[in-house]
């Protein structure tokens, strides 16, 4: 199965938002925990940017999950 980059980025953003909300964190809380700007979290969640692996590792650490779990979601 071919995965389009756009579909992956959109679904990743939705997944990050769901995980963040499940933890009861605001975008600002997550940004503070990651050491990145809040607007960058928003752009990731809205699939406006293709973020790098370093940022994804920071997000996974801030959410207290494995990177593999951050990247494990159903494509829609």
């Amino acid at each position: 199965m071919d995965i389009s980059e756009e579909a992956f980025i959109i679904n990743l953003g939705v997944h990050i938002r769901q995980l963040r909300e499940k933890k009861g964190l605001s975008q600002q809380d997550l940004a503070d925990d990651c050491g990145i700007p809040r607007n960058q979290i928003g752009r990731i969640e809205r699939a406006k940017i293709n973020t790098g692996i370093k940022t994804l590792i920071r997000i996974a650490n801030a959410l207290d999950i494995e990177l593999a779990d951050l990247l494990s979601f159903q494509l829609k």
Side-chain angles (χ1 to χ4, degrees), residues 28-45:
Q28 187 64 59
D29 294 333
L30 182 57
D32 290 345
D33 290 347
C34 293
I36 61 176
R38 185 213 51 80
N39 67 342
Q40 186 174 350
I41 295 292
R43 291 191 331 250
I44 293 167
E45 290 183 354

Side-chain angles (χ1 to χ4, degrees), residues 48-68:
K48 297 299 182 188
I49 60 171
N50 178 5
T51 192
I53 193 69
K54 288 180 180 180
T55 301
L56 293 176
I57 291 169
R58 287 179 175 191
I59 291 171
N61 288 338
L63 293 171
D64 197 29
I65 61 173
E66 297 292 325
L67 180 59

Side-chain angles (χ1 to χ4, degrees), residues 1 23 47-48:
M1 176 176 118
K23 296 271 185 178
K48 297 299 182 188

